[in-house]
């Protein structure tokens, strides 16, 4: 259809049409577009703006278009400028005159604003569901490793003993915060822009409360100019997904390090690894590396959408058409990343012996030696200094702390006694770290229980049983 033939003497050039058109991207909105159009037509009929029989034809026409798209019978045509024109053109082709009435008291500006909100609402819930699934996988892994002692790191240097359960549950907390953010963000989607039309609403006696309610919003938006130019919710959604993918990327980075030959803490399953075309011995963590790179992509989408919006005056400007590129790309990459992570974590092999072996290295119990001296009456700073000298001695003599005899210890401080050796035992050290949020197996069990409780509440809130 040549939409602008009334106003224009000449046809848009093919190149300009290609540049201007968005159907190759926004066809993904078809379901939401048809949903919005059906409710709009219902409202037009209810308010006496179109006849009952026209409404019936429009509704049936839209239903048949949806069905044909879903069955693969109807293909999107690049002749149409965007998904909105495509649906309208199809409708008129199918039902004739009545189809031309659908766009009464509406503009593509409020139409696309609505479609995007419906899309984000749907995908936000989907994202919450995916993250809940990921949490389940992490928790299962944690439950299997409550007593798996490993070194905890700061600066990637061996620091203090923890368990793999505690380590992996740290990611469960990050993802729990992502779920909370997604859940909260649903609030910024609860007003319907439909009826704002191009920018200045309409002279037709429409009912915006009705369309808002029918589409599952609590109310219509308050300012028609803001409604058609607001993309805050796009930024918010992309932002949350970018932050979440940053969490995935940190986890992926850790998996890459932990699966290296030097660490050998974990083994990523064959199903989620790649080989090398030349080096037969290789098993590479390609999936984890891609997860890292996907985070870069989501970050750049966030910067992209912020940059598109930063200098657009009110109200609608065609710049906004590009929002979908960032939006779809972010969600789709987020979705596949979560699925891959679930697969990787549920098939991960944890090398408990190797973790324990490495936990005995690096003077991991030095802090506990200092704490022992404090319990025997020394000031912490003095205890810290003495322990430093002991570690120095141990390094020079290639000994671990439990290999140094009591006599030698007594040379450093008189207060050392037989009970010291039990005090620096890794299992004992862990069990002693029995404070809320700490790594003792009991506290990690508590952490898991509380996390599960919170997750359940989100499941119920989003009807994801
Ligand atoms: N394809 C457009 C978009 O996605 C729809 C709105 C077009 N409005 C307009 N006045 N040209 O933003």
């Amino acid at each position: 259809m040549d939409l602008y033939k009334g106003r224009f003497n000449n046809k848009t050039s093919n190149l300009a049409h290609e540049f201007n058109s968005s159907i190759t991207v926004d066809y993904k909105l078809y379901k939401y577009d048809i949903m919005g159009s059906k409710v709009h037509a219902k409202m037009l009929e209810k308010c006496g703006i179109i006849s009952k029989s026209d409404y019936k034809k429009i509704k049936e026409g839209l239903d048949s278009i949806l069905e044909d798209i879903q069955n693969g019978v109807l293909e999107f045509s690049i002749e149409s400028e965007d998904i909105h024109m495509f649906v309208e053109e199809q409708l008129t082709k199918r039902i004739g005159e009545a189809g031309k009435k659908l766009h009464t008291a509406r503009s593509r500006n409020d139409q696309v604003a609505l479609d995007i909100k419906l899309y984000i609402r749907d995908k936000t819930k989907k994202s919450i569901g995916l993250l809940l699934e990921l949490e389940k996988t992490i928790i299962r892994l944690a439950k299997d490793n409550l007593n798996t002692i490993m070194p905890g790191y700061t600066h990637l240097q061996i620091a203090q003993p923890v368990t793999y359960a505690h380590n992996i549950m740290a990611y469960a907390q990050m993802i729990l915060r992502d779920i909370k953010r997604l859940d909260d963000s649903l609030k910024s989607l609860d007003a319907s822009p439909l009826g704002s039309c191009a920018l200045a609403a309409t002279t037709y006696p429409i009912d915006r409360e009705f369309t808002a309610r029918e589409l599952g919003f609590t109310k219509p938006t308050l300012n028609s100019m803001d409604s058609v130019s607001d993309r805050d919710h796009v930024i918010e959604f992309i932002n949350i997904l970018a932050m979440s993918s940053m969490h995935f990327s940190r986890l992926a980075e850790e998996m890459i390090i932990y699966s290296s030959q030097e660490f050998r803490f974990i083994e990523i399953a064959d199903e989620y690894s790649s080989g090398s075309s030349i080096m037969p011995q290789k098993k590479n963590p390609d999936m984890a590396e891609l997860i890292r790179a996907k985070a870069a992509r989501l970050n750049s989408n966030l910067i992209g959408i912020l940059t598109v919006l930063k200098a657009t005056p009110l109200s609608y400007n065609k710049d906004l058409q590009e929002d979908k590129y960032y939006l779809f790309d972010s969600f789709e990459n987020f979705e596949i990343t979560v699925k891959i992570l679930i697969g990787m974590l549920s098939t991960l092999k944890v090398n408990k012996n190797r973790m324990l072996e490495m936990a005995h290295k690096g003077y991991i119990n030095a802090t506990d030696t200092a704490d022992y001296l404090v319990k025997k009456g020394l000031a912490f700073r003095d205890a810290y200094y003495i322990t430093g000298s002991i570690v120095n001695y141990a390094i020079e003599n290639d000994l671990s702390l439990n290999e140094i005899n009591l006599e030698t210890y007594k040379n450093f401080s008189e207060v050392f006694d037989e009970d010291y050796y039990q005090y620096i035992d890794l299992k004992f050290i862990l069990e002693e770290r029995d404070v809320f949020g700490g790594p003792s197996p009991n506290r990690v069990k508590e952490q898991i229980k509380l996390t599960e409780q919170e997750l359940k509440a989100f499941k119920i809130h989003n009807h994801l049983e």
Side-chain angles (χ1 to χ4, degrees):
M1 187 169 82
D2 196 2
L3 179 63
Y4 311 118
K5 66 174 182 241
R7 168 70 177 81
F8 287 19
N9 291 326
N10 299 321
K11 265 188 83 173
T12 322
S13 85
N14 286 344
L15 190 63
H17 174 77
E18 194 187 322
F19 189 57
N20 191 38
S21 130
S22 57
I23 184 114
T24 52
V25 176
D26 64 22
Y27 73 89
K28 289 177 182 167
L29 291 174
Y30 75 86
K31 201 169 71 184
Y32 312 101
D33 198 70
I34 292 173
M35 189 194 296
S37 287
K38 277 171 66 177
V39 170
H40 176 67
K42 190 170 176 186
M43 180 278 293
L44 291 177
E45 188 270 324
K46 185 186 88 73
C47 296
I49 301 168
I50 61 170
S51 70
K52 233 185 186 74
S53 78
D54 280 344
Y55 167 58
K56 194 166 168 282
K57 281 185 207 145
I58 292 173
K59 185 184 170 302
E60 286 169 5
L62 288 171
D63 281 338
S64 75
I65 294 170
L66 180 65
E67 205 181 302
D68 288 354
I69 294 174
Q70 279 167 345
N71 294 336
V73 181
L74 178 60
E75 275 177 26
F76 300 103
S77 151
I78 50 163
E79 297 290 306
S80 306
E81 191 181 310
D82 54 27
I83 184 62
H84 324 295
M85 291 317 305
F86 175 79
V87 173
E88 191 184 324
E89 284 158 15
Q90 269 301 318
L91 186 67
T92 307
K93 222 185 252 173
R94 290 179 184 211
I95 66 166
E97 281 305 300
K100 295 189 197 163
K101 296 183 183 168
L102 172 63
H103 213 52
T104 317
R106 189 177 70 168
S107 153
R108 277 184 294 163
N109 297 354
D110 60 343
Q111 196 177 347
V112 72
L114 171 70
D115 292 2
I116 289 172
K117 275 195 169 172
L118 294 176
Y119 173 91
I120 297 179
R121 188 169 70 192
D122 201 14
K123 301 305 183 198
T124 300
K125 292 191 173 190
K126 195 142 193 212
S127 304
I128 293 174
L130 283 164
L131 291 184
L132 286 171
E133 207 48 47
L134 177 59
E135 288 285 67
K136 217 160 97 188
T137 314
I138 293 177
I139 288 174
R140 208 177 302 132
L141 193 56
K143 282 180 177 168
D144 287 344
N145 288 284
L146 282 169
N147 296 302
T148 308
I149 297 175
M150 69 176 283
Y153 295 85
T154 62
H155 314 270
L156 210 55
Q157 303 287 327
I158 292 181
Q160 290 176 341
V162 293
T163 61
Y164 188 56
H166 195 51
N167 184 120
I168 197 76
M169 280 303 291
Y171 292 98
Q173 303 314 320
M174 296 178 214
I175 293 159
L176 178 61
R177 292 195 291 274
D178 295 333
I179 295 174
K180 274 187 198 154
R181 272 186 277 270
L182 283 166
D183 192 65
D184 281 349
S185 74
L186 287 167
K187 288 193 205 98
S188 32
L189 295 168
D190 79 342
S192 163
L194 199 60
S196 301
C197 303
L199 77 160
T202 182
T203 54
Y204 292 98
I206 60 170
D207 185 346
R208 294 193 61 208
E209 272 81 14
F210 176 81
T211 47
R213 248 192 340 267
E214 288 275 308
L215 289 161
F217 295 98
T218 55
K219 54 183 183 281
T221 49
L222 202 51
N223 180 308
S224 62
M225 292 179 83
D226 175 48
S227 309
V228 295
S229 69
D230 172 24
R231 294 292 183 273
D232 290 1
H233 39 284
V234 180
I235 300 175
E236 196 173 354
F237 187 51
I238 294 178
N239 178 36
I240 298 171
L241 298 190
M243 179 137 38
S244 197
S245 68
M246 174 273 289
H247 294 146
F248 303 156
S249 179
R250 295 182 69 185
L251 174 55
E253 168 71 2
E254 201 172 87
M255 287 168 95
I256 292 165
I257 296 172
Y258 286 176
S259 65
S260 69
Q261 293 300 300
E262 288 74 12
F263 274 78
R264 283 185 285 113
F265 282 2
I266 56 170
E267 197 182 320
I268 299 169
D270 292 355
E271 290 86 335
Y272 293 95
S273 302
S274 288
S276 154
S277 60
I278 172 171
M279 297 168 280
Q281 86 284 11
K282 292 276 268 176
K283 185 168 170 186
N284 293 331
D286 290 31
M287 307 307 134
E289 288 161 347
L290 279 170
I291 291 172
R292 270 195 318 214
K294 295 289 185 195
R297 194 149 151 184
L298 268 82
N299 287 354
S300 60
N301 285 345
L302 176 60
I303 301 299
I305 183 71
L306 283 167
T307 313
V308 165
L309 282 162
K310 77 171 179 49
T312 50
L314 285 175
S315 55
Y316 180 83
N317 301 273
K318 200 59 176 263
D319 314 42
L320 298 183
Q321 178 164 281
E322 291 282 307
D323 62 353
K324 286 166 279 304
Y325 166 82
Y326 301 106
L327 178 60
F328 299 165
D329 189 70
S330 289
F331 174 72
E332 286 161 16
N333 280 295
F334 170 85
E335 182 180 36
I336 177 113
T337 302
V338 181
K339 288 181 180 167
I340 289 282
L341 263 177
I342 292 171
M344 287 174 85
L345 291 173
S346 53
T347 52
L348 195 72
K349 218 180 117 222
V350 179
N351 192 347
K352 300 185 185 187
N353 293 337
R354 174 67 180 166
M355 284 186 176
L356 185 63
E357 182 194 331
M358 287 307 290
H360 279 111
K361 299 224 156 64
Y363 305 99
I364 204 163
N365 36 16
T367 315
D368 303 276
T369 302
D371 288 346
Y372 172 84
L373 294 174
V374 169
K375 288 201 177 137
K376 295 276 173 176
L378 270 71
F380 180 76
R381 210 30 89 204
D382 294 333
Y384 170 91
Y385 172 75
I386 293 170
T387 308
S389 315
I390 297 171
V391 169
N392 208 5
Y393 168 87
I395 292 170
E396 274 165 15
N397 293 279
D398 197 20
L399 294 167
S400 63
L401 292 182
N402 55 333
E403 285 167 347
I404 301 173
N405 62 34
L406 191 56
E407 225 177 285
T408 314
Y409 271 118
K410 280 199 180 290
N411 290 337
F412 286 98
S413 168
E414 263 308 305
V415 301
F416 274 111
D417 219 333
E418 265 313 325
D419 63 342
Y420 165 69
Y421 293 98
Q422 182 223 345
Y423 209 83
I424 58 163
D425 174 69
L426 295 191
K427 200 161 166 284
F428 178 82
I429 291 176
L430 263 173
E431 272 158 15
E432 286 292 287
R433 286 183 145 61
D434 186 29
V435 295
F436 189 79
S440 80
N442 277 338
R443 291 300 186 171
V444 176
K445 264 189 223 154
E446 175 183 58
Q447 183 189 163
I448 291 174
K449 206 172 116 214
L450 293 172
T451 307
E452 281 178 327
Q453 273 169 15
E454 285 207 54
L455 292 173
K456 195 157 174 222
F458 287 114
K459 208 178 256 179
I460 294 166
H461 186 214
N462 289 285
H463 311 290
L464 291 164
E465 261 331 309

